[in-house]
Amino acid sequence: MTPKSVDRKRGNVSEMAKRAASRKEKLIFLRLQRSWNRLAIEIEDAQANLATSKATELGDAMDVESLAAPRRDALDPPPSQ
């Protein structure tokens, strides 16, 4: 699920709350709407944490790679054999 798909579902539940036949039904739909809101926030937070984690892992991998094998450029003398 994406935050966008959750938002659509929240909107559907909001419409159902507006058309509810009784106060009890309306409260049920409003409670569902709040649940969809919380789910959307949790998904957004999880996506942000995942992106941060991937960026950290990539940065760590690049640091290890640069320490393990120094890179040569065109101005470096050829390696001695």
Side-chain angles (χ1 to χ4, degrees):
M1 290 197 122
T2 65
K4 198 175 218 175
S5 67
V6 170
D7 193 48
R8 281 193 301 271
K9 291 188 184 299
R10 183 193 53 79
N12 292 342
V13 172
S14 178
E15 287 302 314
M16 290 177 194
K18 290 176 186 175
R19 291 184 259 129
S22 69
R23 184 177 189 285
K24 183 177 179 179
E25 284 181 5
K26 182 174 184 163
L27 291 174
I28 290 170
F29 287 125
L30 291 174
R31 192 174 308 130
L32 282 170
Q33 181 182 358
R34 284 193 304 272
S35 294
W36 283 115
N37 283 340
R38 284 192 302 270
L39 179 59
I41 291 167
E42 288 179 22
I43 291 172
E44 289 171 351
D45 288 347
Q47 288 175 337
N49 288 336
L50 182 60
T52 300
S53 176
K54 284 183 178 182
T56 301
E57 287 176 12
L58 179 60
D60 290 347
M62 291 178 73
D63 290 343
V64 168
E65 184 179 305
S66 66
L67 293 174
R71 303 231 168 136
R72 295 183 59 244
D73 64 24
L75 300 178
D76 288 337
S80 55
Q81 297 176 351

